[in-house]
Amino acid sequence: MDQLSPSLVTFLNSLILISLAVGLPFLVVGILSIFNIKKSKNFQIYLYAFTSGLIIILGTVGLLGEGILTAKEALPKTSLSLVVQTLEIIGVILGGCIIGVGLVIFSRLIFTKFLNKKEDLHHNHFEHNHQEFLFNPSDIDNKNIKWIPIILLLLHRLLDGIVLGFLANTTTQSSLAKFANWGMIIVFIIHLLPTTIIIYFVLLDIFNFKHLKAFLFSLIFIISIIPFVIIGSFFINGINSVWWLLPFLYSISGVTTLLTSILEIIPEFIHYRNASLKKWILITCTMAGGALLSILLILIHSH
């Protein structure tokens, strides 16, 4: 294997990562569809809690942290003062964050102000106490609103694919086994699973899709990552030639991931106010478990 050219090894690595990033979510959603599995209320609560903890850490410690570190490493060493160099890094990271916030606001504006023609509420409100929270009751189970996390998660997959492609590149390696960042690879693959399940159940329950139709739409979302893995694998030199581009993308993705969790995923379980103390302890532990798993896997990540 060591005698293979770096390009061929990169291609083989890309196939492995694509098979993981596409194959595992495909398998999980396929099982849900074949057996017509519907989510219970408890499963929904714990799924959203685990996912929110996982991707909050991925967005902040993982993506934003990686963006800051990458910017510091990639910044061209010039005669400019340390203050000027620091301001350049701040401009790149904060610029990406501002774009990320703008994407979230723009998405919500489009789907609420222009596409939201009617309110589509829960039939029963006895367990929610909507008036106690700072969000609009019409957002709950509103079909247009539910497109927001789906669109934002898809935008996030663009960077997922590029980063996975970077990890597959072996320009400085000669062995298929020498993946540089197994921790980041694992956390990326793991976070694809619950987010894919969430999209599947949103299509199934909120949009009233049949299991087969929900599966087919989910499949489109799953395979959308493939071209970006290829781009990351074979255009890494071009992307790296613009020193600020990758940390800028990291920052955009990190902020959209964080805000998607806070604004779109956490409200899906936080408004179950009549849950017992035991259930809330389990919910908290589930959310913490997702966060701790993400931290653990990011710690495995090497530069």
Side-chain angles (χ1 to χ4, degrees):
M1 185 65 69
D2 289 340
Q3 297 177 352
L4 295 178
S5 68
S7 296
L8 179 57
V9 176
T10 294
F11 176 72
L12 294 175
N13 284 349
S14 300
L15 289 182
I16 291 175
L17 294 185
I18 288 173
S19 66
L20 291 173
V22 173
L24 291 179
F26 174 83
L27 178 62
V28 171
V29 175
I31 292 173
L32 294 175
S33 177
I34 290 173
F35 293 98
N36 293 333
I37 298 175
K38 296 183 178 180
K39 71 179 189 303
S40 66
K41 183 187 297 183
N42 286 336
F43 178 80
Q44 172 185 331
I45 293 172
Y46 297 130
L47 173 65
Y48 281 115
F50 176 82
T51 305
S52 64
L54 184 77
I55 68 176
I56 281 176
I57 297 300
L58 176 62
T60 52
V61 179
L63 292 169
L64 283 174
E66 189 74 7
I68 294 171
L69 185 58
T70 302
K72 291 180 177 180
E73 292 179 346
L75 179 68
K77 302 301 184 288
T78 64
S79 59
L80 296 176
S81 68
L82 180 61
V83 173
V84 174
Q85 293 182 33
T86 301
L87 289 176
E88 287 185 282
I89 294 173
I90 291 174
V92 170
I93 301 302
L94 287 187
C97 291
I98 291 172
I99 295 296
V101 173
L103 285 173
V104 174
I105 294 175
F106 180 74
S107 299
R108 196 164 185 85
L109 179 65
I110 292 295
F111 284 97
T112 55
K113 186 175 181 61
F114 300 110
L115 299 181
N116 187 18
K117 302 301 182 181
K118 64 179 181 178
E119 294 186 351
D120 185 10
L121 309 181
H122 284 304
H123 295 295
N124 299 310
H125 290 270
F126 64 89
E127 63 182 3
H128 300 302
N129 296 327
H130 290 297
Q131 69 276 8
E132 298 180 11
F133 294 90
L134 297 177
F135 60 86
N136 191 333
S138 64
D139 289 354
I140 306 299
D141 285 354
N142 184 291
K143 293 182 179 180
N144 290 318
I145 296 297
K146 294 304 177 184
W147 278 112
I148 297 175
I150 293 176
I151 296 300
L152 291 177
L153 287 173
L154 285 176
L155 288 175
H156 170 61
R157 285 199 174 177
L158 181 153
L159 186 60
D160 279 351
I162 292 177
V163 172
L164 283 176
F166 281 3
L167 300 179
N169 187 277
T170 55
T171 302
T172 59
Q173 302 177 47
S174 60
S175 173
L176 183 66
K178 292 181 181 179
F179 282 107
N181 302 289
W182 276 109
M184 188 63 80
I185 290 172
I186 295 171
V187 75
F188 266 72
I189 299 302
I190 288 179
H191 98 278
L192 291 176
L193 298 177
T195 54
T196 301
I197 294 172
I198 286 175
I199 290 175
Y200 174 77
F201 280 132
V202 166
L203 294 173
L204 195 67
D205 296 337
I206 306 304
F207 292 91
N208 297 319
F209 284 4
K210 300 296 184 181
H211 284 275
L212 178 59
K213 186 176 181 181
F215 168 75
L216 293 176
F217 270 76
S218 298
L219 180 59
I220 294 174
F221 299 148
I222 291 170
I223 64 177
S224 65
I225 198 173
I226 294 177
F228 300 108
V229 175
I230 300 301
I231 291 173
S233 297
F234 293 97
F235 295 92
I236 182 173
N237 292 330
I239 294 174
N240 282 337
S241 66
V242 183
W243 75 267
W244 54 265
L245 181 57
L246 185 57
F248 183 73
L249 292 176
Y250 271 129
S251 301
I252 294 175
S253 184
V255 167
T256 56
T257 300
L258 174 64
L259 293 182
T260 299
S261 179
I262 294 174
L263 299 177
E264 309 297 341
I265 297 179
I266 290 179
E268 293 295 331
F269 67 88
I270 200 68
H271 62 275
Y272 285 95
R273 292 298 301 274
N274 290 340
S276 65
L277 177 60
K278 178 182 178 181
K279 178 172 287 188
W280 268 107
I281 292 175
L282 290 174
I283 291 172
T284 303
C285 290
T286 303
M287 186 174 181
L292 291 174
L293 176 62
S294 188
I295 291 172
L296 173 63
L297 294 174
I298 289 173
L299 287 174
I300 299 174
H301 167 61
S302 63
H303 245 262

